[in-house]
């Protein structure tokens, strides 16, 4: 068949920063392989189209009210988005398909969307469009979190306090207290289990799963995937180190003054602190972190998003003169550049999967302060399996923070951790190079998309 136009791929990211970044990175990779790219996105957390002039952006309404966009309840937001976006997506696809094959159009080959969208499989089916699911989690989490409803039915909760530190055989290396946090409180149980059940049922009929992890990091769970899924799985991560031109997908403007500030610091002397794009903390937790950092007497670069300290606008509760030349606080950082900077010696992180991958790829050892969801699993891998970081065990107390930062940045223990993360960095980086596992899976994915 003669193809005058490039094959077009349609991507529909879940509107969370942690899901937009890997999806747009995938778009850049596919574009570099010759595909045309159309991004369908919601008004809520709309990506900046001007950052990606070579892609077509189409916005659909999402029906979220002002207060719903401000909500801290991610599960509620995702539920509303899933309820509201089905018809808008259908209408958008109808128009796109009508225009396909024309001059501007190009044949549409498939839809790639996020595992968190649960209505898209049936929409894609109705257009006879193959659907690929993007998994922005570590694959261990993806596979196991779908078992949460079953674990709940089998009576995992409650358990006696004395068992809190025990490991969970079916969700290794999680501890019982971690899994309890993931399973949520009584009010969250039903909506969460409904949602997870839908994710499982609407992922199974997909044409394949694109995983933002690699064999080096996820070997065990990948080899078990056939027990749950019959379609091919493409672990092509980490997405940001493929050989494509860099451009940001940040929803906020990164504060570029971080880099000249880092330039003035000694090599590996700065602890970078960020809890990602969703986590919020109480004012007293904020002050404990602040005092802990300050007491180390080391330099720190800290991302505090406006609104992320509950009940406050920003950092007005810090005592005046607090930084004393040692610290810098920004609203949003150019994180990849910060982690790659020679002055950055450690990362106090919530262990979102993107941040965890980015830290590994730059050989930056971590201090783990997970709050919710997959962060709890990523943190266990960091501290217990790969041993490339120190786990705070949720203790947001100044002395604990001071102690952990000092262990990582100053003591010999930190040196050993750094050596291990550098070994892992090299292995992971090899996976995207020619002949590496992620590179081969990507070739397979490209062939598959081309074949439709
Ligand atoms: C705060 C901040 C973040 N970033 C970038 C770094 C990462 O690529 C991205 C944040 O992604 P993550 O580190 O995965 O964290 P987060 O936004 O919380 O992501 C959500 O989605 C992730 C992927 O599903 C999950 O693993 C997390 O648990 C979930 O909370 O934003 C910046 O570039 N600058 C910043 O200042
Ligand atoms: C019960 C909630 C936990 O906050 C699950 C909803 N799902 C999610 N929660 C948090 N970050 C996410 N990134 C992608 N999906 C996410």
């Amino acid at each position: 068949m003669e193809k005058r136009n490039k094959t077009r791929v349609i991507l529909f990211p879940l509107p969370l920063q942690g899901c937009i970044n890997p999806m747009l990175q995938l778009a850049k990779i596919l574009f570099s392989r010759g595909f045309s790219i159309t991004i369908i996105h919601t008004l809520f957390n709309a990506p900046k189209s001007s950052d990606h002039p070579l892609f077509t952006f189409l916005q659909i309404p999402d029906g979220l009210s002002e207060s719903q966009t401000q909500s801290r309840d991610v599960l509620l937001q995702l539920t509303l988005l899933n309820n509201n976006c089905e018809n808008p997506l259908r209408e958008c696809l109808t128009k796109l398909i009508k225009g396909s094959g024309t001059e501007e159009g190009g044949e549409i080959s498939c839809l790639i969307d996020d595992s968190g969208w649960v209505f898209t499989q049936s929409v894609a089916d109705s257009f006879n469009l193959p659907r690929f699911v993007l998994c922005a989690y570590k694959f261990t989490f993806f596979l196991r979190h779908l078992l949460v409803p079953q674990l709940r039915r089998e009576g995992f909760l409650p358990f006696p306090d004395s068992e809190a530190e025990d490991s969970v055989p079916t969700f290794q290396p999680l501890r019982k207290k971690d899994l309890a946090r993931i399973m949520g409180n009584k009010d969250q149980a039903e909506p969460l289990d409904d949602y997870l059940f839908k994710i499982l049922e609407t992922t199974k009929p997909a044409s394949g799963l694109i995983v933002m992890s690699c064999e080096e990091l996820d070997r065990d769970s990948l080899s078990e995937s056939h027990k749950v899924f019959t379609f091919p799985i493409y672990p092509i991560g980490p997405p940001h180190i493929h050989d494509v031109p860099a451009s940001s997908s940040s929803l906020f403007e990164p504060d570029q003054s971080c880099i000249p500030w880092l330039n003035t610091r000694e090599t590996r002397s700065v602890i970078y602190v960020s809890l990602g794009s969703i986590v919020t903390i109480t004012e007293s937790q904020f002050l404990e972190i602040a005092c802990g950092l300050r007491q180390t007497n080391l330099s720190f670069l800290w991302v505090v998003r406006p609104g992320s300290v509950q009940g406050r606008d920003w950092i007005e509760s810090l005592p005046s003169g607090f930084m004393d030349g040692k610290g810098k606080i920004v609203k949003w950082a150019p994180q990849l550049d910060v982690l790659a900077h020679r002055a950055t010696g450690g990362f106090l992180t919530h262990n979102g999967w993107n941040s965890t991958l980015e830290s590994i790829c730059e050989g930056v050892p971590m201090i783990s302060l997970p709050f919710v969801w997959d962060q709890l699993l990523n943190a266990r891998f960091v501290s217990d399996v790969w041993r490339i970081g120190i786990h705070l065990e949720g203790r947001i107390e100044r002395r604990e923070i001071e102690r952990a930062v000092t262990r990582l940045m100053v003591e010999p223990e930190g040196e050993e951790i750094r050596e291990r993360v550098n070994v892992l960095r090299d292995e992971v980086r090899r996976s995207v190079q020619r002949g590496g596992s992620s590179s081969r899976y990507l070739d397979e994915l490209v062939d598959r998309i081309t074949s439709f």
Side-chain angles (χ1 to χ4, degrees):
M1 188 179 70
E2 193 200 337
K3 281 190 184 163
R4 283 173 49 228
N5 288 305
K6 289 187 187 177
T7 305
R8 181 164 293 274
V9 176
I10 302 174
L11 296 95
F12 181 43
L14 203 65
L16 303 176
Q17 182 74 72
C19 303
I20 292 169
N21 285 3
M23 187 68 89
L24 282 164
Q25 200 56 37
L26 176 64
K28 285 189 252 171
I29 294 168
L30 293 177
F31 183 83
S32 77
R33 299 292 185 111
F35 295 98
S36 301
I37 303 294
T38 296
I39 312 272
I40 303 179
H41 63 86
T42 56
L43 170 62
F44 173 57
N45 280 348
K48 264 175 54 201
S49 54
S50 56
D51 286 341
H52 308 278
L54 300 170
F55 304 162
T56 306
F57 285 82
L58 298 171
Q59 181 166 298
I60 59 171
D62 52 52
L64 292 194
S65 68
E66 179 71 19
S67 66
Q68 288 167 342
T69 65
Q70 307 289 326
S71 168
R72 277 195 265 126
D73 186 343
V74 180
L75 181 58
L76 174 72
Q77 281 179 334
L78 295 179
T79 307
L80 292 165
L81 286 161
N82 269 290
N83 289 341
N84 298 351
C85 290
E86 175 160 355
N87 282 330
L89 181 72
R90 264 183 206 286
E91 282 167 28
C92 186
L93 283 174
T94 306
K95 280 186 209 149
L96 267 175
I97 287 168
K98 266 193 198 138
S100 78
T102 63
E103 253 346 285
E104 336 74 86
E107 292 293 341
I108 295 168
S109 114
C110 65
L111 173 69
I112 304 179
D113 69 80
D114 197 284
S115 61
W117 288 125
V118 293
F119 63 85
T120 47
Q121 184 63 45
S122 70
V123 172
D125 284 344
S126 67
F127 289 101
N128 258 324
L129 207 54
R131 170 188 180 231
F132 288 87
V133 176
L134 181 134
C135 164
Y137 304 133
K138 188 180 193 303
F139 192 63
T140 320
F141 185 79
F142 185 73
L143 209 52
R144 293 286 181 257
H145 89 303
L146 299 172
L147 292 177
V148 159
Q150 186 188 330
L151 286 166
R152 202 188 310 270
R153 275 198 309 277
E154 288 170 356
F156 175 81
L157 295 173
F159 52 81
D161 279 351
S162 59
E163 293 175 11
E165 304 293 331
D166 293 0
S167 73
V168 185
T170 49
F171 208 145
Q172 278 184 15
L174 277 192
R175 303 194 185 173
K176 286 194 168 181
K177 61 177 185 184
D178 302 324
L179 184 51
R181 297 248 308 261
I182 290 171
M183 290 171 83
N185 60 32
K186 274 217 329 274
D187 294 340
Q188 293 162 325
E190 203 182 304
L192 180 60
D193 287 3
D194 285 349
Y195 186 48
L196 293 177
F197 179 74
K198 280 186 204 147
I199 292 178
L200 179 61
E201 289 310 304
T202 60
T203 301
K204 278 181 175 165
S207 297
L209 187 70
I210 303 168
V211 180
M212 292 312 185
S213 183
C214 59
E215 283 194 334
E216 284 66 19
L217 297 175
D218 251 324
R219 190 163 280 112
D220 294 352
S221 54
L222 286 166
S223 67
E224 273 183 58
S225 59
H226 64 270
K227 294 183 190 160
V228 184
F229 300 113
T230 53
F231 51 52
I233 298 190
Y234 304 92
I236 63 163
H240 71 284
I241 55 170
H242 282 269
D243 192 14
V244 292
S247 67
S248 155
S249 306
S250 280
L251 298 171
F252 305 99
E253 201 53 54
D255 186 334
Q256 297 299 343
S257 70
C258 292
I259 304 303
W261 184 82
L262 284 169
N263 289 342
T264 67
R265 306 284 139 163
E266 303 274 316
T267 298
R268 286 191 288 281
S269 69
V270 176
I271 175 98
Y272 171 56
V273 184
S274 161
L275 304 176
S277 67
I278 299 177
V279 164
T280 64
I281 52 179
T282 63
E283 181 170 30
S284 80
Q285 291 174 329
F286 171 69
L287 291 170
E288 289 299 311
I289 296 174
C291 293
L293 291 172
R294 193 61 199 84
Q295 279 168 20
T296 62
N297 221 23
L298 296 164
S299 294
F300 59 89
L301 173 59
W302 187 5
V303 178
V304 181
R305 281 177 293 110
S308 67
V309 180
Q310 293 159 22
R312 294 285 171 179
D313 290 333
W314 194 38
I315 57 171
E316 60 276 16
S317 38
L318 281 185
S320 65
F322 169 79
M323 311 283 218
D324 195 22
K326 281 290 180 186
K328 181 174 175 66
I329 298 185
V330 297
K331 294 178 175 165
W332 191 262
Q335 180 162 306
L336 286 173
D337 298 328
V338 168
L339 288 171
H341 199 286
R342 53 147 193 90
T344 303
F347 184 7
L348 197 167
T349 170
H350 71 314
N351 282 124
W353 185 236
N354 298 289
S355 291
T356 306
L357 280 178
E358 290 160 12
S359 201
I360 291 172
C361 288
E362 300 305 335
V364 176
M366 288 168 254
I367 295 173
S368 293
L369 183 54
F371 280 76
V372 288
W373 210 225
D374 64 324
Q375 298 155 19
L376 292 144
L377 181 84
N378 302 336
R380 288 290 163 218
F381 269 88
V382 165
S383 60
D384 298 0
V385 179
W386 301 319
R387 297 167 63 224
I388 56 172
I390 294 172
H391 204 304
L392 267 176
E393 300 298 345
R395 289 191 287 260
I396 311 183
E397 295 154 29
R398 59 191 74 189
R399 307 193 94 205
E400 296 289 339
I401 288 164
E402 177 193 356
R403 185 80 200 100
V405 173
T406 308
R407 276 168 65 196
L408 190 75
M409 301 288 287
V410 183
E411 293 180 6
E413 182 186 4
E415 246 346 278
E416 289 167 25
I417 294 176
R418 192 180 312 277
E419 278 167 29
R420 283 192 291 269
V421 73
N422 282 333
V423 172
L424 191 61
R425 169 197 63 196
D426 293 344
E427 285 175 19
V428 168
R429 281 192 170 267
R430 268 197 295 277
S431 70
V432 304
Q433 285 158 14
R434 191 191 295 274
S437 63
S438 291
S439 158
R440 282 184 278 115
Y441 278 115
L442 177 61
D443 290 342
E444 282 177 31
L445 175 67
V446 167
D447 287 348
R448 182 84 183 294
I449 298 177
T450 314
S451 74
F452 291 122

